Amino acid sequence: MNAPVWNPAVEFMEREALERLQLANLRMTVAQALKTPFYQRRLAEVGLTGPEDLASLRDLHHLPYTTKDDLREAYPYGLLAVDREQAVRLHTSSGTTGMPTVIYHTRRDLDGWTELVARCIAATGATARDVFQNMTNYGLFTGGLGLHYGAERVGMLVIPASSGNTSRQIQLMKNFGVTVVHATPSYLLHLHSALAAEGVSLDQLRLQKAFIGAEPHSEQTRRKIEELFRIKAYNSYGLSEMNGPGVAFECLHQTGLHLWEDAYLLEIIDPRRLQPCAEEETGEIVLTTLQRQATPLLRYRTRDLSHLVSGHCPCGRSHRRLARIKGRSDDMLIINGVNLFPSQIEEVLMKTPEVSTNYLIQIEKRGAMDRLAVKTEIDARLFTGNPRALDDLRERISELLRSAILVKPVVELHEPGSLPVSEGKAKRVVDLRPAF
Amino acid sequence: MAEQLSVFIDNRPGRLNAVTGILRDQQISIRAMTIADHRDYGVAKLLVSDPRRAHQALAEHGFAAALQPVLAVVIADQPGGLHQLLEILAGHHINVLDAYGFVVAPGQQAIWCMAVADPEEAARLVAAQGLPVLEDSALYRL
């Protein structure tokens, strides 16, 4: 079970050679960073004068972290490391706080990004024979253009459908015999529920694979997508600060996401102590760009949480694997002092066929205590009319959640279709507690 | 055997009348109705003039709805009328799970609807004692 490999020389590179390449590229990146006012100041603060100060990869910890707030502060030109004429594209992200950040790309940066995405696509067995429908937003969001150019480089027939307009998505899939799609997991679930209304059955589609990403999701969600569409779904990881998609991707074996270590230097740290995590311990992913000219970033704190998968992947690639993204360090909810992630709640709901895939987590203050409510929708097809069965269901979900997250929530059942369905990144948490 | 329509309804303003609006649009008449409150939701039970069509219309509007057999028995609207029926059930150790009643002709006739574990068997026993058990069609001719 192996697919043609896009860049065997790099993907199978011995660890020792890979680390030599990383060190050389890290020095180049530091040299590049020193062309920006932002890093001139930052690196001077830690007493680093030039790339020659880095004797080995172990010296990485001398470098300062870079945060999203740093990018906001440096906006718009504080992190541009090349002449503006050399930059050929920028992507900005506004984030939820509204303060923008920007990443610039030279022609070589874009070429490097495209190569990484092509590597990812090929690792799933997709080839030039595939018809690819890209259902993520084109424009400033990096998911659309990132996959688009990678898929073109692989030679796939690309349909730049962009996001939304479910009815048209389904017609395109049917009319062109689409074999591979790229979308968020929540959108694929939505798309499946819309097939019947469009009068399209699975047999009329030729879908074989989906690339899913851009929002944290559980293994159950992936399996559910695979079962509903009778396809294979491959996890994609990326973030706009690191180009976008193409940072890490699952191969055919689906045992974690290979992170391209010739392009990104990976650390996993405890977000509170800012110290490296032990092997297989969950922490925040920290990445340093190794090939980027226009916007080099050193030790960028992604706020995404994951851990390394130990052992070797049967595919033989030497690039290490990340476990699926567990959540964001800023997604973490603290309920009565207990840390938990929405993804843990989603996992329980996915195992319960009587409720749908839509849910909403609501947190309120009741006196001194936090009250966690998990709102779900019942599945109309499994409603028998027996209220006692529903009360039992509510209690069963509540108990399952208690053992998963160590907090007993109030579970609410609602009518099918009454909770908000998001076509992009789903908004699942409403925190009504007063801010301090 | 008569059929009772159960509908899952969110416990918030505007949901119950969404159900009655659909039934009105379908020109379906409601003979009796109860709602049990379960905090975030309620389950409404309805006897309607055309349960199958009502069920389909509600399902098409996205409601979770179900049809269940219900034992609908004609009793006398006078002291002891209900007792007579319940004596028969008690005599055969039949447990009443859920029930409601309504008058069709004051001083003469009432209908008692109930859910029991084995409605077919209960219907046979009740009918053998001379109390009429109604079908959907008969329920709406009253």
Side-chain angles (χ1 to χ4, degrees):
Chain A
M1 184 171 80
N2 276 317
V5 176
W6 186 256
N7 188 341
V10 171
E11 294 176 53
F12 295 134
M13 191 178 275
E14 297 289 337
R15 290 299 303 181
E16 208 177 301
L18 186 56
E19 283 170 19
R20 274 200 305 276
L21 178 65
Q22 285 182 321
L23 180 60
N25 286 347
L26 176 63
R27 286 181 176 143
M28 251 166 40
T29 299
V30 168
Q32 196 66 13
L34 280 167
K35 296 177 186 170
T36 68
F38 173 84
Y39 279 120
Q40 279 161 16
R41 194 163 28 88
R42 275 299 169 86
L43 294 177
E45 280 166 16
V46 298
L48 193 133
T49 52
E52 59 284 353
D53 290 353
L54 295 164
S56 80
L57 286 178
R58 277 184 294 282
D59 290 332
L60 181 68
H61 73 268
H62 294 307
L63 299 179
Y65 290 108
T66 308
T67 65
K68 183 104 177 167
D69 282 339
D70 292 330
L71 299 193
R72 293 192 177 113
E73 218 172 280
Y75 183 86
Y77 287 116
L79 274 160
L80 179 61
V82 295
D83 291 338
R84 223 173 68 185
E85 298 90 273
Q86 279 185 272
V88 296
R89 198 199 297 165
L90 65 79
H91 283 275
T92 74
S93 112
S94 57
T96 42
T97 60
M99 279 282 286
T101 61
V102 59
I103 300 295
Y104 299 93
H105 299 276
T106 63
R107 203 171 294 285
R108 208 187 80 187
D109 289 339
L110 289 180
D111 185 66
W113 179 14
T114 298
E115 276 297 301
L116 294 176
V117 176
R119 238 188 244 176
C120 296
I121 292 171
T124 69
T127 67
R129 287 186 297 279
D130 282 296
V131 181
F132 174 64
Q133 188 164 325
N134 195 6
M135 300 181 178
T136 49
N137 191 279
Y138 277 63
L140 291 172
F141 175 66
T142 54
L145 288 174
L147 256 294
H148 178 95
Y149 287 111
E152 280 190 357
R153 185 151 306 178
V154 168
M156 302 166 100
L157 174 58
V158 179
I159 307 175
S162 196
S163 56
N165 200 340
T166 304
S167 164
R168 190 182 60 186
Q169 300 280 11
I170 292 170
Q171 292 310 318
L172 287 169
M173 286 170 77
K174 189 179 105 183
N175 296 344
F176 295 102
V178 166
T179 54
V180 183
V181 295
H182 174 223
T184 61
S186 53
Y187 187 67
L188 284 181
L189 292 172
H190 169 72
L191 186 85
H192 184 269
S193 66
L195 282 176
E198 288 298 316
V200 173
S201 71
L202 274 189
D203 302 330
Q204 292 172 278
L205 302 181
R206 298 182 54 200
L207 195 62
Q208 292 167 6
K209 293 180 176 67
F211 303 149
I212 53 176
E215 62 187 16
H217 59 280
S218 61
E219 181 62 19
Q220 277 76 15
T221 302
R222 183 246 287 274
R223 294 297 168 208
K224 185 154 193 165
I225 289 168
E226 292 190 326
E227 278 164 30
L228 288 174
F229 286 99
R230 300 198 290 265
I231 59 169
K232 285 286 178 191
Y234 298 94
N235 278 321
S236 160
Y237 174 65
L239 58 160
S240 59
E241 297 84 354
M242 294 290 135
N243 299 340
V247 176
F249 221 82
E250 279 184 325
C251 68
L252 278 179
H253 299 277
Q254 298 179 310
T255 55
L257 295 84
H258 292 279
L259 182 122
W260 302 124
E261 294 187 82
D262 56 317
Y264 304 98
L265 197 52
L266 169 67
E267 300 169 84
I268 294 180
I269 64 162
D270 177 328
R272 269 166 287 212
R273 296 184 303 119
L274 299 184
Q275 291 297 317
C277 284
E279 173 110 22
E280 288 195 70
E281 192 187 339
T282 296
E284 180 177 341
I285 301 168
V286 172
L287 296 170
T288 299
T289 64
L290 291 176
Q291 296 179 353
R292 224 161 50 182
Q293 296 177 308
T295 314
L297 291 180
L298 304 176
R299 304 188 84 194
Y300 181 71
R301 293 190 54 188
T302 65
R303 296 185 293 178
D304 292 320
L305 299 167
S306 178
H307 63 86
L308 279 175
V309 178
S310 61
H312 295 283
C313 183
C315 76
R317 284 180 181 82
S318 54
H319 299 243
R320 289 177 297 171
R321 288 164 295 164
L322 288 175
R324 68 174 47 259
I325 304 303
K326 193 173 172 186
R328 290 177 68 77
S329 54
D330 45 5
D331 269 352
M332 190 171 76
L333 302 170
I334 305 178
I335 310 291
N336 296 324
V338 178
N339 297 349
L340 60 98
F341 293 96
S343 57
Q344 292 172 288
I345 293 174
E346 180 182 322
E347 209 164 302
V348 167
L349 297 177
M350 286 289 165
K351 285 187 214 160
T352 312
E354 295 95 329
V355 296
S356 88
T357 49
N358 293 334
Y359 66 93
L360 196 69
I361 296 166
Q362 189 169 309
I363 310 151
E364 292 167 65
K365 208 76 179 164
R366 286 283 166 90
M369 299 297 283
D370 298 324
R371 176 186 186 267
L372 173 67
V374 176
K375 302 181 180 209
T376 67
E377 292 174 1
I378 64 163
D379 186 321
R381 288 164 303 181
L382 297 175
F383 176 69
T384 60
N386 180 359
R388 199 183 301 167
L390 293 172
D391 288 344
D392 289 348
L393 171 65
R394 209 160 51 177
E395 185 54 28
R396 180 153 55 88
I397 296 173
S398 184
E399 274 304 318
L400 285 170
L401 285 170
R402 192 184 55 81
S403 56
I405 60 179
L406 309 177
V407 172
K408 183 158 176 162
V410 177
V411 173
E412 294 184 9
L413 301 178
H414 291 280
E415 285 171 23
S418 61
L419 296 176
V421 181
S422 168
E423 294 205 349
K425 291 196 182 192
K427 174 90 179 136
R428 306 289 202 193
V429 180
V430 179
D431 195 338
L432 299 173
R433 291 176 292 188
F436 289 104
Chain B
M1 186 75 42
E3 280 185 306
Q4 167 183 282
L5 180 63
S6 296
V7 190
F8 181 99
I9 305 176
D10 265 13
N11 196 355
R12 59 191 162 90
R15 296 314 297 158
L16 193 51
N17 71 329
V19 172
T20 53
I22 291 165
L23 298 182
R24 179 207 49 205
D25 294 346
Q26 296 290 322
Q27 290 297 299
I28 288 170
S29 171
I30 301 168
R31 184 54 82 167
M33 178 169 187
T34 67
I35 304 173
D37 166 38
H38 291 258
R39 198 185 65 215
D40 30 301
Y41 62 88
V43 174
K45 291 174 183 166
L46 301 101
L47 285 182
V48 294
S49 54
D50 191 338
R52 302 265 153 141
R53 199 153 56 80
H55 178 247
Q56 196 190 341
L58 289 168
E60 279 168 8
H61 282 82
F63 277 96
L67 290 171
Q68 293 162 303
V70 66
L71 194 56
V73 185
V74 180
I75 57 173
D77 181 27
Q78 64 186 45
L82 176 59
H83 186 68
Q84 187 196 352
L85 168 61
L86 296 181
E87 280 283 290
I88 298 167
L89 298 176
H92 290 93
H93 301 287
I94 293 170
N95 190 32
V96 177
L97 299 169
D98 186 40
Y100 51 97
F102 55 97
V103 170
V104 278
Q108 296 170 36
Q109 259 189 342
I111 308 285
W112 182 252
C113 294
M114 62 197 148
V116 294
D118 184 350
E120 298 288 343
E121 171 68 1
R124 201 181 55 73
L125 292 168
V126 169
Q129 297 294 319
L131 291 179
V133 176
L134 298 182
E135 297 293 323
D136 280 327
S137 52
L139 205 48
Y140 289 93
R141 279 201 303 272
L142 292 171

